[in-house]
Amino acid sequence: MRRLRKPRGHSRWNTWSPPKAEVLGVARTLTSATRVLDVMDLLRAEDGIAKYYTVNPGSAFADGLHEYLASVVGQNLLTWKEATRRSFHLAVACAVHPSMRRLDAPLMVMPHGAGYNRLVSESTGDATSPAGLSRKELVHRGKVVPAAIGLSHHDQLARLFRTCPEAVPRAQVIGDWCFQRIKDSERQRDWYRARLGVADGRRLVVIHSTWSEHSLLGRHPRLPLDLVTALPADEFAVAAVFHPNVWTRHSWSAVLERLRKPMDAGLMVIPPQEGWRAVVVASDCVIGDHGSTTFYSAAADRVTLLAANGIEELDPASPAAAFGRTAPRLDPKGDLHAQLLKAERDHDPEVLRPVIDSQLADIDKSGELTRRRMYEFLAHRGVCLPRQPPDPRPVPDPRPERNRPPTAYEVTGAVRPDGSVEVRRWPMVVGRHEQERGFYAVAAETPHALWLQSADVVARTVAVADPAPAEWCLREAPGRPGAAVLVARIDETSAVVWLRDVLFEARTVRSWGTQQPDLDPLLLGSAVNLWLTQGRSGAELVKGMAVRTGRRSIQVTFTGPVDGRRGPVAEGR
């Protein structure tokens, strides 16, 4: 190995001492790149380690990978040609390929998901060895290429012995640093939920799909739209996490184009680079398949349902295959709402615990074990292993792709015996009116004029606009003869309500020790319309109203009434 290159110029120009060792992170796909970045973070610059990165070419899922890494690591990104012409004291990869033998460095490889599960004969050369444990990937001309092979569980040693026995001496159980970070981030759950906009009593349902025709998306491409339109919008929020290979194979624009309708109905889409771990922490329920993100969610004790199990492309001896055979199933053509509620009631984390425990070991020590193994390669350079285990840094915040909130809802509900109004709303999507649930509540800003013509409730949801809220209601009323209720937002917590030329001002009530709740004009208008259609009078609104949506209740006060043409309404009107 060639000597470490020394910085040019006088040493007094340096702020820090020159590095003692250089380590290369090797990415082959976007999935492996994100995992490599995570693992390389265990190597500390203050210990005298310089870190570089490169892309190992040849993957069918490498589009845009060089650009992504350049945006993260900048000038420390090397081309593959540059990387193979230099020497490093260690190379780290989370996907193995025989071409990595060209690197002048001891190579440490580890999985880029939850263990080794998928059969990919295109890269392994056979239909029985999972990717990462196959002879074709690990051996070249009779020589084992990696100097170290990281396993997430002791059981993987037996599987490696079956597929490539000569590689067993290079293997070591190091746990799963990715999942340790998920577990260490549980205390950030409220923070992540706030970033996703679900700190309002709603349950967060996350759709997880891996890639290929056997995935959730491959088997049930309509499920995101079906789910987001089947769940009451004020009780559930829905996010989607798709494997990076879906994005790189079909392009960012193509994925978002296919998701346009569900996103119009409220679906949040998590970008492939990062954010999915925070969503695992933030979630309440997951609907997934045989991908690692579904497995991690179940390991985090989230309510889990499988819409596809991918048995066709899994090693039958893998925990992922056992997971696919054991986890509760979702019928995509059945009542999705009812199935979710039943899954919540029946949820018992211990049912899947044996399968999960057969894939993930030494979780609390994963970072420590992984770091120790890497530092062993650098000890001869005078790099000392830190005395303390890695800091439990929270995973990065989620930054979802999302459209504006839905502009139209189908509404049902009732006035309860205690006088509160229970409201249920489902987002409307063009071409999807398979069941008539109730009346329409539509935003004035909707692009769909036919919905406005059929709406019982019309609301202007923009706060800063001309004319003023009360004047807007009076101007709009003649053109909306079918609307029983008009609402115009004043600000985030108040609105003007019009009932047949009578105006009220509505405002949410802040309970002691809490923030003042936001007031959704479409939700308010829906509650008032239910109030009127079930025999209550507008005059009774001055007594106040409790609006209930699932687990949440908002108290609303009404001042007025004011006759829009003559001024204050006489008492007793």
Side-chain angles (χ1 to χ4, degrees), residues 493 507-511 514-517 554-557:
T493 63
R507 184 174 297 275
T508 58
V509 177
R510 184 181 73 84
S511 301
T514 66
Q515 291 183 329
Q516 188 165 353
I554 301 174
Q555 191 68 37
V556 181
T557 61

Side-chain angles (χ1 to χ4, degrees), residues 15 23 47 69 76 103 113 184 227 261 277 320 428 451 463 484-485 508 532 553 571 573:
T15 301
V23 178
D47 296 326
L69 279 175
N76 285 359
L103 294 170
D184 287 343
L227 186 65
K261 283 190 175 183
R277 291 182 291 185
M428 293 170 59
W451 291 350
V485 181
T508 58
L532 297 176
S553 178
E571 185 175 350
R573 176 175 172 175

Side-chain angles (χ1 to χ4, degrees), residues 351-532:
V351 171
L352 293 174
R353 185 57 50 193
V355 176
I356 291 164
D357 287 347
S358 69
Q359 182 90 294
L360 302 172
D362 298 319
I363 294 304
D364 294 339
K365 297 181 179 180
S366 298
E368 189 175 357
L369 293 170
T370 305
R371 173 188 276 175
R372 181 182 297 126
R373 188 68 184 100
M374 291 191 293
Y375 272 69
E376 288 173 358
F377 287 100
L378 310 178
H380 72 286
R381 299 295 307 175
V383 177
C384 297
L385 179 70
R387 294 182 178 181
Q388 298 298 322
D391 294 332
R393 291 194 302 109
V395 297
D397 292 352
R399 303 181 187 278
E401 293 279 340
R402 61 176 124 202
N403 293 348
R404 292 181 180 180
T407 58
Y409 296 92
E410 293 178 278
V411 184
T412 65
V415 178
R416 298 171 58 167
D418 61 3
S420 62
V421 182
E422 188 168 19
V423 183
R424 278 197 153 171
R425 302 187 297 168
W426 291 265
M428 293 170 59
V429 176
V430 174
R432 286 184 62 88
H433 293 286
E434 298 170 2
Q435 53 181 317
E436 293 293 335
R437 292 189 174 100
F439 61 86
Y440 293 173
V442 181
E445 301 84 16
T446 186
H448 305 294
L450 289 177
W451 291 350
L452 279 173
Q453 295 174 13
S454 304
D456 286 33
V457 176
V458 175
R460 188 176 73 175
T461 63
V462 179
V464 182
D466 288 325
E471 186 178 352
W472 178 86
C473 290
L474 295 174
R475 287 190 185 183
E476 191 75 11
R480 304 289 172 207
V485 181
L486 300 179
V487 182
R489 185 193 293 273
I490 299 173
D491 55 31
E492 294 302 313
T493 63
S494 62
V496 169
V497 179
W498 173 94
L499 306 176
R500 300 300 180 190
D501 289 331
V502 178
L503 300 173
F504 295 84
E505 182 177 318
R507 184 174 297 275
T508 58
V509 177
R510 184 181 73 84
S511 301
W512 188 91
T514 66
Q515 291 183 329
Q516 188 165 353
D518 289 346
L519 186 60
D520 178 345
L522 285 170
L523 176 62
L524 173 65
S526 299
V528 171
N529 192 54
L530 287 166
W531 177 270
L532 297 176

Side-chain angles (χ1 to χ4, degrees), residues 45-364:
E46 59 264 39
D47 296 326
I49 302 171
K51 293 180 279 189
Y52 298 89
Y53 298 84
T54 191
V55 175
N56 174 234
S59 171
F61 302 103
D63 287 354
L65 180 54
H66 192 277
E67 291 77 10
Y68 167 67
L69 279 175
S71 71
V72 177
V73 304
Q75 64 182 5
N76 285 359
L77 178 62
L78 308 176
T79 66
W80 180 247
K81 186 175 182 180
E82 290 171 331
T84 55
R85 288 183 173 181
R86 293 179 54 174
S87 296
F88 298 90
H89 301 100
L90 174 64
V92 178
C94 293
V96 64
H97 191 270
S99 62
M100 294 179 186
R101 70 184 183 278
R102 297 178 56 197
L103 294 170
D104 186 4
L107 175 65
M108 179 175 176
V109 299
M110 58 197 80
H112 56 261
Y116 301 94
N117 305 293
R118 194 187 291 261
L119 299 174
V120 187
S121 58
E122 293 86 352
S123 60
T124 61
D126 66 67
T128 60
S129 300
L133 299 183
S134 71
R135 178 182 299 275
K136 182 178 178 180
E137 294 173 305
L138 297 173
V139 176
H140 178 71
R141 293 183 178 177
K143 181 181 178 181
V144 178
V145 175
I149 302 170
L151 307 178
S152 63
H153 195 279
H154 302 81
D155 288 354
Q156 291 163 15
L157 280 170
R159 295 170 61 207
L160 180 61
F161 184 80
R162 174 174 57 84
T163 60
C164 188
E166 59 266 53
V168 170
R170 308 283 182 93
Q172 180 178 337
V173 177
I174 59 173
D176 190 310
W177 172 233
C178 176
F179 186 63
Q180 182 181 350
R181 290 198 66 193
I182 291 174
K183 295 294 289 182
D184 287 343
S185 300
E186 286 284 358
R187 288 186 292 275
Q188 309 298 318
R189 176 176 164 84
D190 290 342
W191 175 267
Y192 297 143
R193 289 178 66 83
R195 302 284 76 75
L196 292 165
V198 294
D200 55 4
R202 288 183 294 168
R203 281 101 91 195
L204 177 61
V205 180
V206 183
I207 302 170
H208 290 272
S209 179
T210 188
W211 59 281
S212 88
E213 62 183 350
H214 302 294
S215 67
L216 180 150
L217 276 182
R219 290 291 178 85
H220 308 290
R222 289 171 51 90
L223 185 56
L225 180 59
D226 291 342
L227 186 65
V228 79
T229 54
L231 302 180
D234 299 298
E235 300 171 40
F236 295 88
V238 184
V241 171
F242 301 147
H243 194 285
N245 286 1
V246 175
W247 298 85
T248 55
R249 186 67 173 174
H250 300 287
S251 84
W252 186 283
S253 60
V255 173
L256 293 182
E257 174 62 23
R258 283 179 173 268
L259 297 174
R260 181 177 57 83
K261 283 190 175 183
M263 290 180 72
D264 285 344
L267 178 72
M268 296 179 283
V269 180
I270 308 303
Q273 296 88 350
E274 189 52 90
W276 67 267
R277 291 182 291 185
V279 172
V280 169
V281 175
S283 66
D284 297 292
C285 310
V286 300
I287 296 174
D289 54 22
H290 53 294
S292 292
T293 57
T294 306
F295 192 92
Y296 284 137
S297 299
D301 294 341
R302 300 308 188 257
V303 177
T304 303
L305 291 170
L306 297 187
N309 63 14
I311 293 296
E312 301 88 343
E313 58 183 5
L314 294 176
D315 177 359
S318 68
F323 179 71
R325 293 188 293 264
T326 307
R329 299 299 297 270
L330 177 89
D331 177 6
K333 296 182 179 179
D335 186 329
L336 301 178
H337 184 210
Q339 290 180 78
L340 270 181
L341 295 181
K342 183 178 186 301
E344 287 182 333
R345 292 192 302 268
D346 297 345
H347 178 57
D348 180 2
E350 296 307 311
V351 171
L352 293 174
R353 185 57 50 193
V355 176
I356 291 164
D357 287 347
S358 69
Q359 182 90 294
L360 302 172
D362 298 319
I363 294 304
D364 294 339

